[in-house]
Each structure stands twice: as C-alpha cells, then as structure tokens.
Amino acid sequence: MSKNKKLPGNDPDHKRIPRSVIRRLPVYLRTLDNLVKNDVEVVTSMELSERTGFTAEQIRKDLGHFGTFGTRGTGYHAEALRNELLKIIGLYEKTAVIVVGAGHLGTALLRYNVNRNPYTNVVAAFDTSPDVMGQRILDVEVLPVSRMPEVVRKHNVKAAILAVPSENVQAAADQVVKSGVEVIFNFAPIWVQAPPGVFVHNADLSIELQSLIYYATREEAFRSKGV
Amino acid sequence: MSKNKKLPGNDPDHKRIPRSVIRRLPVYLRTLDNLVKNDVEVVTSMELSERTGFTAEQIRKDLGHFGTFGTRGTGYHAEALRNELLKIIGLYEKTAVIVVGAGHLGTALLRYNVNRNPYTNVVAAFDTSPDVMGQRILDVEVLPVSRMPEVVRKHNVKAAILAVPSENVQAAADQVVKSGVEVIFNFAPIWVQAPPGVFVHNADLSIELQSLIYYATREEAFRSKGV
DNA sequence: GTTGGGGTGTTAATTTATTAGCAATTCAAT
DNA sequence: ATTGAATTGCTAATAAATTAACACCCCAAC
C-alpha cells in the first residue's frame, strides 16, 4: 500500500505518467468520440490539435507514454485510438458514481452527467431531506444516506460527487469514504480532507474564477484558450 | 493589445508570474480570510501549509514573487497579507459577474457564489425562457438576454458564468463577448471558442472526473490530497 | 546587550513538462 | 519499382515548476 516518497521509477508497467498528461487524456477521448460519431476513420495529430487546442507535438508525446498507436505518414485510426484511450484511462466499463446532495447543484450535475457522458453511470443520489427522498431525477433515485454502503457495494461505486452545502461537506466525505468510495469530487467551497488512498478533487468555482480575474485585470494578451 | 509570442520578460512591473502560482493565490486568500475571521493575527508558512495542502516552501516562494510580506522569525500578519493578496489578485473592489442560464445549474452557482464569496458580485442572471423571466434568485434578477449589453456596461461586468445547455453555449459565449465581457467560465461539456483577449475557462465535470478515474483504477498509493 | 530558537526570503539544485527537430515509415502516384 | 509528400515516434533542448538549503533577521529570555 504505502510506497516511499523517493522512488522515481518503481512502477514496473510503465514509467510514471505525468499528471499533466492524464488531465489531457479525457479531452482526447471526447474529441475522438466526436470524430468517430462523424464517421471519421483516420485523424492526424494536427487535426487533433485543432480540435483540442493542444499542440500536435504534445499530443504525439502524450500518446507515446502509453505505446505506439498511429501509423507514420497516415495518422491515427480514430476508433482504435479511442478504444485504447478507454483502456488507458480505465473506462472499459462504465464507472459507477453516486451523487451526494440532491439540491439544485446535484440535480444539475445529474442532468449534465447522465445526458452527456457514456462512460460514467450515476447509480443513485443521496440526501437527508425528506422532501426529495424517493424522488427520481432523470431515472436516478434519491435515497437516504443510510443506504449508501449497500449501494456502493452492490454497484461497485468508485466515485462520489459531493454537491452539499459547505457545512455538511466534510461529514458527507467521511460518509462516502466509510462506504468504500475511492474518489471524491467536491463542489463545496471548502477543502475536504480524506485519508490516504482516497483521491479528492476540490472544484471550487470561486477559486478558479478569482485566478481568472487575475489575468483579466492585467490586460496583457494571453491566449484566448485554456488559461 | 497584441504582443508577440516570443517576448519572455517584457512586463515592466514584475517578472512574469507562473500560472501555477496564480492558481494558488486564491487558496491562500481564502485561508487567510478564515484565519482573520477567527482573530488569528500572525500565521507562519507552516500553518498555511497545513491548511492549504501546499508546502511551506512553496507558499513562501509564491509570495516572494510579489514582494516581502512577512517578518523573519515571526511569520505573516494574517490580515495584512490578506489585503496584499486582494491587491495582487485584483479584487480591491468586488468584481461584477453575470450568470447566463437560470436553470438548476445557474441557480446553484448563484447560491454558492452569493453566499460564499465576498469578492465577486453577481449583478444579474440571464435566460431566454419566459418562465423564469423577472424572477429573483437570492436577490439576483433574471433578465432577458436583450438587456445584457446594457447591464454589462452599467456594472462594468468582467466575467460571465455560462450555465446553459451545450447546444446553446457557443451562442451564449458569442453574446457575452459582444456585450463586452472579458472572462468566460463555461460549465457546459463543450469547449467554447472566443476571440483573442477573452479568457475562457472550460470547467468540464466529466473530463475532470475521468482523469480522476485514471488514478483510481491504478491502485498505487498517490497522495490523498490535490490530485 | 547577547544568545538561541524560529521562520522568512532568496538562491541554487532538481524535477517535471513543453517544444523542437528529424530519422524512419507509410502511402499514392507514376 | 521509385519517388515524394505526409506524419508518426523518438531523442535532444528548453522552459517551467518544485524542492532543498541556508544566510539573515527578528524576538524573547536572560
């Protein structure tokens, strides 16, 4: 389980993928999905570049971390590459997700997610308020928190999206961890703590907005893309 | 306005702040806010480290980009540093923001924002649906899109939060740009394009979730913090 | 005052990430 | 077959970001 800090290359499979690369993979995936949907068979790194905003060199380099998928002089077979990316990211089968908090935010996220994403599957929402209990939001049932461990076990839930008010978010995090969830996606403007082994991503709107404002207040010409 | 790509250090004021630093500043700001609220007068980089998850060295280094704010052997005066950060980020006065789309997501963001963030001020929401028109969501009025240019001018609106369905989001982006907004925060799972000079941040839940799943599927012990 | 513990500010070393460049390979055209 | 245009996959060079190290300053205690 625990591995010491200073072992640079002890992953036998492949040599330690940079974080920045991982963040770009889903973007490639979605782009390829669109291409496949439009019956594109072959795509070059340049075309991917135009569609993703990353440079062609970077795309080729990123893919190079995982193997060789293209054919020189031609490009990449879109569908094949898409499937490789699915395997790389770990989405060969739909990832089961729960949403905690069925208020406005939870509802909005459910809709976005269920509608748009073929790779994750929201299996249930949880809330404490009796008002929403038992309701269905786009096919997803709102359950009492007491049933969380059972649901997590049954569907092998990997990730939880926390859409609860700041006051309750740490309690919610503790709850989902206790239920066996490994990945937490927190939308409350409070940083959630979790034990080692649990991945927490704090998506704080106001934090990100403020860093954007920094750029906006200095009028220098930055790129319009991907600040 | 336009400045060529390859001019490394032509900012006369100070020597080109790394992006990664800018992203951390709002975290420091919020942490200091909390400390000040709890009547903490002096705080060390180590204490900030515990509260933010960044290392003490990094915090000191980050601050060092903008000047010297602490006193050796003692630490930083929390309130003074907070005020410096406000100036640095560009939040000396509340930044006017609009929300486009008054559905579940827009409503949720409004609540989060208005409740939680003393630095930005949502001056209006916009929508096309007659149902919500004229309604108020926590003091914020929902207006027709036709009034956007006027509102942007009047309140000197810097940023727009796009909380509309994917189908409409590019149109919404074009609209806010035409109205004079410089910063776009897009929540739809489609990448929005904007002319140079406009800062776009695409906050796509599913993309971020997927990159988290990468880590979850390899069971190696990563940090629990800040993936 | 002088001493010591504590903590910043800053420079240097190291690691991580991006960009560039090009040899190697494919395919289509002739 | 041969040629040439196109495009990958590497390897090398550069840039960005993090970590480490420590000189220097402050404050409190004696």
Side-chain angles (χ1 to χ4, degrees):
Chain A
M1 195 75 180
S2 83
K3 204 173 271 182
N4 260 7
K5 204 179 188 176
K6 260 301 180 51
L7 298 172
N10 59 358
D11 185 347
D13 305 302
H14 38 276
K15 59 280 294 179
R16 190 62 178 160
I17 312 298
R19 226 163 241 204
S20 45
V21 175
I22 305 304
R23 281 198 299 263
R24 286 189 290 267
L25 294 182
V27 180
Y28 303 153
L29 175 59
R30 189 177 61 194
T31 305
L32 287 163
D33 264 338
N34 288 333
L35 290 168
V36 170
K37 212 176 295 168
N38 292 357
D39 295 321
V40 174
E41 302 222 330
V42 170
V43 63
T44 68
S45 55
M46 268 234 318
E47 288 162 343
L48 287 174
S49 169
E50 283 162 16
R51 286 178 164 73
T52 61
F54 305 118
T55 69
E57 295 85 345
Q58 189 160 59
I59 293 169
R60 294 205 300 275
K61 187 120 215 292
D62 286 354
L63 296 175
H65 283 108
F66 303 99
T68 83
F69 308 111
T71 61
R72 299 180 175 193
T74 308
Y76 301 88
H77 186 77
E79 192 172 356
L81 183 55
R82 192 265 308 265
N83 294 336
E84 291 294 338
L85 279 174
L86 283 178
K87 278 193 277 178
I88 291 166
I89 299 177
L91 296 168
Y92 12 71
E93 56 186 19
K94 282 202 179 200
T95 302
V97 176
I98 57 175
V99 171
V100 184
H104 279 290
L105 183 57
T107 303
L109 295 176
L110 271 171
R111 298 192 178 199
Y112 270 68
N113 197 273
V114 170
N115 280 349
R116 286 283 168 188
N117 185 342
Y119 304 119
T120 56
N121 177 28
V122 179
V123 297
F126 294 90
D127 207 303
T128 52
S129 160
D131 303 356
V132 289
M133 204 59 64
Q135 277 188 13
R136 287 185 158 274
I137 303 170
L138 258 68
D139 263 12
V140 176
E141 201 175 359
V142 181
L143 303 175
V145 175
S146 58
R147 294 193 48 199
M148 195 186 292
E150 164 210 336
V151 171
V152 169
R153 215 175 315 112
K154 181 174 165 201
H155 292 92
N156 189 26
V157 170
K158 279 270 167 51
I161 298 172
L162 305 188
V164 301
S166 307
E167 302 83 81
N168 311 332
V169 74
Q170 185 61 55
D174 296 345
Q175 176 65 243
V176 301
V177 168
K178 209 162 60 180
S179 303
V181 167
E182 294 165 352
V183 171
I184 292 177
F185 205 118
N186 167 36
F187 279 88
I190 289 248
W191 280 31
V192 154
Q193 300 293 326
V198 176
F199 304 90
V200 181
H201 181 78
N202 294 291
D204 186 338
L205 159 68
S206 51
I207 294 278
E208 298 185 43
L209 227 188
Q210 284 168 25
S211 76
L212 277 179
I213 287 171
Y214 174 91
Y215 292 106
T217 52
R218 0 240 119 184
E219 257 319 318
E220 315 170 40
F222 289 99
R223 292 288 146 293
S224 77
K225 216 176 243 185
V227 162
Chain B
M1 196 75 182
S2 82
K3 208 173 268 183
N4 260 7
K5 202 179 188 174
K6 261 300 181 48
L7 298 172
N10 60 358
D11 184 349
D13 305 302
H14 39 277
K15 59 276 298 176
R16 191 61 180 159
I17 310 300
R19 226 165 240 204
S20 46
V21 174
I22 305 304
R23 281 197 300 263
R24 287 189 290 267
L25 294 181
V27 181
Y28 303 152
L29 175 59
R30 189 177 62 195
T31 306
L32 287 163
D33 264 337
N34 287 334
L35 290 169
V36 170
K37 213 177 294 169
N38 292 357
D39 294 323
V40 174
E41 301 222 329
V42 170
V43 62
T44 69
S45 57
M46 270 237 313
E47 288 162 343
L48 287 175
S49 169
E50 283 162 16
R51 286 179 164 73
T52 61
F54 304 119
T55 69
E57 295 86 345
Q58 189 160 59
I59 294 170
R60 294 205 299 276
K61 186 123 215 292
D62 286 355
L63 296 176
H65 282 107
F66 303 99
T68 83
F69 307 112
T71 61
R72 299 179 176 194
T74 308
Y76 301 89
H77 186 77
E79 192 173 355
L81 183 55
R82 191 265 308 265
N83 294 337
E84 290 294 339
L85 280 174
L86 283 179
K87 279 192 278 178
I88 291 165
I89 299 176
L91 296 167
Y92 10 70
E93 56 185 21
K94 284 202 178 199
T95 302
V97 176
I98 57 174
V99 171
V100 183
H104 279 291
L105 184 57
T107 303
L109 295 176
L110 272 172
R111 297 194 178 198
Y112 270 68
N113 196 273
V114 172
N115 280 349
R116 284 285 167 187
N117 185 341
Y119 304 119
T120 55
N121 177 27
V122 179
V123 297
F126 295 90
D127 207 301
T128 52
S129 160
D131 303 355
V132 289
M133 205 58 63
Q135 278 188 13
R136 288 186 158 271
I137 303 169
L138 258 68
D139 263 12
V140 176
E141 203 174 357
V142 181
L143 302 176
V145 176
S146 57
R147 293 193 49 198
M148 195 186 291
E150 164 210 335
V151 170
V152 169
R153 213 173 319 111
K154 182 174 163 201
H155 292 94
N156 188 25
V157 170
K158 280 270 166 51
I161 298 173
L162 304 188
V164 301
S166 307
E167 302 83 82
N168 311 332
V169 73
Q170 185 61 55
D174 296 344
Q175 175 65 242
V176 301
V177 168
K178 209 164 57 179
S179 303
V181 167
E182 294 164 353
V183 172
I184 291 177
F185 205 119
N186 167 35
F187 278 88
I190 291 250
W191 282 30
V192 153
Q193 302 292 327
V198 176
F199 304 90
V200 181
H201 181 79
N202 294 291
D204 185 337
L205 160 68
S206 52
I207 294 277
E208 299 184 42
L209 226 189
Q210 284 168 24
S211 77
L212 278 178
I213 287 170
Y214 174 91
Y215 292 104
T217 53
R218 1 240 117 183
E219 257 321 317
E220 316 169 38
F222 289 99
R223 295 285 149 293
S224 77
K225 218 176 243 186
V227 161

